[in-house]
Amino acid sequence: MTDIMKINVGPQHPSTHGVLRLITELDGEKIISIKPEIGYLHRGLEKLAESKTYLQYLPLVDRVDYLGGFFTSYAFCNAVEHLLNIQTTKRTEYIRTLCMELNRIASHLLWLGTYMLDLGASSPIFYTFRERESILALFEELTGQRMMYNYFTFGGVRFDVDNNWLDKVNDFLNILPKAIGNYEKIITNNAIFIDRTKNKGILTKSFCSKYAITGPNMRASGLEIDFRQKMPYSAYNELGFVVSVNNLSDSYGRYLVRIQEMRTSIDLIKQCIMFLKQNKDNVSCNINPIKLKIPQGEYTSYVESSRGLLCCYIQSDGSEKPYRVKWRTGSFYAVQVLPELVIGQNYNDLIAIFGSLDVILPEVDR
Amino acid sequence: MLLKKLLNKIYYLILGHFTVFKHSFKRAVTVEYPEKKVKLPERFRGKHVWNSNECVGCKICEKVCPVNAIHINKVEDNFEMQIELSKCIFCGNCQYSCLKHAIKMSNDFELAVLNKNDLNLNITSNEKKIEAKND
């Protein structure tokens, strides 16, 4: 028995994907206790909503999860639409679905690159960023910005998509499966990668239910729950897809689920493009967002984001500003389960396990 | 069995290295920035361009701005627009809400200045099509 050493991992640590502080106690190389400290990236986005009108808050919503701006945007717009009791057109919903699925691919690509960097492999990040760059260029052309889109509005989207843009998306989707194949050639059967991820960070089904883990982390534990299929929102009830799931429960399983999800997203986007090329319709509603007053009531919308279930709760008191806004994000719960996964493990596995959970801190702290 | 496993590991390591090696012969995807620039899309949201002749002073842009960066004041017979680019988050709410399309966001994204006050633009001219430039 050696002396117990207490060290701080973070908040300024490149592998904590933001500013997470892990107060770790080590016995030699073995982790005996770990306590995540969050709040370093707290921007008060929930309280901020109470002092802004719905339209003023709309651009800030993208900042809840900066790698999945479309998901948060959709959750907020959907909640407002339900409170206003307005129906969006089918074309709007297909455009939103397309954007969200492209966003999911971009988010998973960034995760893949940075996760491999955490494990010491420096090549994949260049390849994943190359493909992600193509997606961001498409978003920039459609919305005007690369990450903070402000594209979805109440009852519609800001601009309609044209066939030219859809063709560009299609061209990109044709090269993406080959690119994913290339990542798999480098990573999936790599002996070092397997050694560092197989049977590491076992997230059992009971942990998932105890800590409310959702998203790819949960599906890698054998629970086949995908809110796109279980409780379809947007255009998902008209799209066919297979939920990616496996029973490995470890970091390797979580990697496989995300790779599979990217392939699923490609299929979904192709179905959306087919619909959008055939159907022409309006993409905006006849409401004036500037003088928007929402009737008294409350609603919780939900989205299956790239990091799990994302909920947006809005309570309105009938005025121009929301009375209360609450976000439920997947990463917050993934951070809480970390001690269960790493206690008893070697210190060098800490980042390898933490990285596999795909936590980003703006989503945790909001 | 052990040898087979070892050979399998070596095969996949070589395959990985070969996949990486193949990239050496591909064209570069990056651009050497200050010399070469990528073409920005039409909808890009950069520095604001304001047309005072179109502006009717309804102050909608003031109301929708999430960070209160825009101020429209009346100066004699004309309007004056003050915009604090250091506050602006380039969300485009002002551009999308303007009923007269008087405010637009240009492709100018190079906003670095030596003095922070230079980012507070004060535009008061009644000439046609005034560009918001801070020089």
Side-chain angles (χ1 to χ4, degrees):
Chain A
M1 176 91 184
T2 49
D3 283 343
I4 287 165
M5 186 166 67
K6 199 172 183 180
I7 60 164
N8 276 308
V9 183
Q12 306 296 337
H13 191 285
S15 293
T16 51
H17 299 261
V19 276
L20 174 71
R21 179 181 169 208
L22 299 166
I23 304 165
T24 318
E25 280 183 350
L26 298 175
D27 178 11
E29 282 275 293
K30 209 171 142 193
I31 298 168
I32 54 169
S33 91
I34 190 161
K35 192 178 165 228
E37 276 270 316
I38 58 169
Y40 290 94
L41 206 57
H42 180 62
R43 293 147 294 164
L45 278 169
E46 288 175 1
K47 192 70 188 166
L48 207 57
E50 293 164 23
S51 61
K52 303 219 177 288
T53 63
Y54 288 91
L55 185 62
Q56 277 181 323
Y57 189 56
L58 189 59
L60 306 181
V61 160
D62 292 328
R63 277 120 178 121
V64 171
D65 173 3
Y66 54 52
L67 298 181
F70 281 127
F71 298 114
T72 45
S73 232
Y74 177 80
F76 185 69
C77 290
N78 192 24
V80 170
E81 281 154 17
H82 264 93
L83 286 170
L84 283 171
N85 205 9
I86 48 174
Q87 271 286 318
T88 51
T89 58
K90 248 187 179 185
R91 189 173 173 84
T92 305
E93 291 305 326
Y94 270 87
I95 294 172
R96 287 176 172 184
T97 308
L98 189 151
C99 290
M100 283 192 280
E101 287 307 319
L102 267 179
N103 212 167
R104 192 185 310 277
I105 297 175
S107 175
H108 282 348
L109 283 174
L110 189 132
W111 168 82
L112 183 61
T114 50
Y115 183 48
M116 295 316 292
L117 211 56
D118 290 346
L119 295 177
S122 50
S123 294
I125 192 163
F126 297 111
Y127 310 145
T128 56
F129 264 61
R130 180 186 57 199
E131 266 73 62
R132 181 171 175 266
E133 187 61 38
S134 312
I135 298 177
L136 294 194
L138 287 168
F139 283 160
E140 196 178 24
E141 198 182 327
L142 179 69
T143 69
Q145 268 192 11
R146 289 155 58 86
M147 281 167 94
M148 307 301 165
Y149 313 109
N150 193 15
Y151 177 63
F152 297 166
T153 52
F154 311 126
V157 290
R158 293 222 190 258
F159 311 102
D160 197 357
V161 293
D162 53 8
N163 281 351
N164 187 18
W165 188 80
L166 290 174
D167 288 338
K168 280 183 191 173
V169 177
N170 218 353
D171 290 346
F172 169 70
L173 292 183
N174 290 337
I175 59 159
L176 191 60
K178 203 184 160 196
I180 296 173
N182 267 341
Y183 311 149
E184 287 215 274
K185 266 187 199 166
I186 307 172
I187 304 163
T188 308
N189 289 310
N190 185 298
I192 303 163
F193 177 72
I194 290 171
D195 279 355
R196 295 213 61 190
T197 52
K198 267 228 163 130
N199 298 322
K200 297 280 163 65
I202 305 267
L203 184 68
T204 57
K205 281 181 189 173
S206 63
F207 282 156
C208 287
S209 51
K210 195 174 157 193
Y211 286 89
I213 302 290
T214 46
N217 294 337
M218 172 187 67
R219 288 193 285 279
S221 301
L223 287 161
E224 201 182 336
I225 302 170
D226 192 320
F227 290 91
R228 290 176 290 174
Q229 204 177 53
K230 287 266 181 244
M231 295 150 72
Y233 54 90
S234 199
Y236 286 107
N237 52 355
E238 292 171 18
L239 305 172
F241 67 102
V242 182
V243 177
S244 42
V245 62
N246 70 42
N247 282 316
L248 293 172
S249 310
D250 54 6
S251 303
Y252 191 70
R254 294 191 273 278
Y255 157 79
L256 290 178
V257 165
R258 290 204 175 88
I259 289 281
Q260 197 49 45
E261 258 187 23
M262 282 198 263
R263 294 213 165 97
T264 313
S265 292
I266 295 171
D267 289 347
L268 283 167
I269 296 166
K270 281 192 172 163
Q271 292 176 46
C272 289
I273 291 174
M274 280 234 301
F275 176 88
L276 289 170
K277 279 197 170 173
Q278 286 160 2
N279 291 56
K280 293 271 174 245
D281 203 352
N282 212 353
V283 291
S284 59
C285 256
N286 250 348
I287 55 161
N288 184 359
I290 300 154
K291 287 180 180 171
L292 194 66
K293 273 191 180 176
I294 289 182
Q296 217 169 357
E298 56 182 1
Y299 187 77
T300 309
S301 61
Y302 59 91
V303 175
E304 176 74 43
S305 86
S306 49
R307 270 166 282 279
L309 180 66
L310 187 131
C311 293
C312 177
Y313 167 80
I314 299 181
Q315 190 179 357
S316 169
D317 56 357
S319 70
E320 287 176 334
K321 296 170 183 174
Y323 181 75
R324 174 92 170 93
V325 171
K326 166 92 180 81
W327 291 96
R328 183 256 188 240
T329 53
S331 289
F332 181 82
Y333 299 88
V335 168
Q336 311 307 323
V337 82
L338 184 69
E340 301 273 15
L341 305 187
V342 297
I343 285 175
Q345 301 280 340
N346 232 356
Y347 176 68
N348 55 23
D349 285 331
L350 169 62
I351 294 300
I353 292 166
F354 176 65
S356 74
L357 294 171
D358 190 15
V359 171
I360 63 155
L361 268 293
E363 212 191 32
V364 177
D365 294 338
R366 303 188 282 277
Chain B
M1 192 67 191
L2 205 69
L3 188 72
K4 202 183 165 191
K5 257 189 179 174
L6 189 71
L7 284 174
N8 204 23
K9 278 184 180 180
I10 291 169
Y11 168 73
Y12 282 114
L13 277 177
I14 291 169
L15 182 72
H17 277 93
F18 183 66
T19 314
V20 174
F21 179 71
K22 274 200 293 189
H23 281 86
S24 325
F25 306 103
K26 287 186 179 168
R27 273 173 57 197
V29 287
T30 47
V31 175
E32 288 173 15
Y33 162 60
E35 287 85 30
K36 289 177 190 166
K37 285 175 189 172
V38 287
K39 198 174 164 255
L40 291 169
E42 226 173 86
R43 286 172 190 163
F44 183 83
R45 300 202 292 262
K47 197 202 257 177
H48 305 69
V49 175
W50 182 60
N51 185 348
S52 68
N53 288 4
E54 291 289 327
C55 184
V56 291
C58 64
K59 293 196 176 189
I60 281 178
C61 49
E62 244 186 73
K63 278 174 207 151
V64 297
C65 181
V67 287
N68 300 328
I70 302 178
H71 305 284
I72 305 274
N73 305 317
K74 196 165 187 197
V75 182
E76 292 166 8
D77 286 348
N78 233 310
F79 294 108
E80 172 202 69
M81 183 207 196
Q82 287 177 320
I83 177 154
E84 297 165 67
L85 285 179
S86 50
K87 269 189 185 177
C88 182
I89 59 168
F90 299 92
C91 65
N93 262 3
C94 49
Q95 178 192 10
Y96 301 139
S97 306
C98 187
L99 300 171
K100 295 282 172 188
H101 305 291
I103 188 160
K104 275 184 185 148
M105 295 178 95
S106 66
N107 275 6
D108 188 3
F109 64 94
E110 289 156 317
L111 302 174
V113 285
L114 289 171
N115 188 353
K116 200 183 169 189
N117 289 335
D118 292 345
L119 286 173
N120 298 341
L121 307 180
N122 207 336
I123 315 159
T124 43
S125 177
N126 53 359
E127 282 173 36
K128 273 185 185 175
K129 285 216 168 178
I130 302 128
E131 283 205 346
K133 278 195 174 168
N134 60 346
D135 48 14

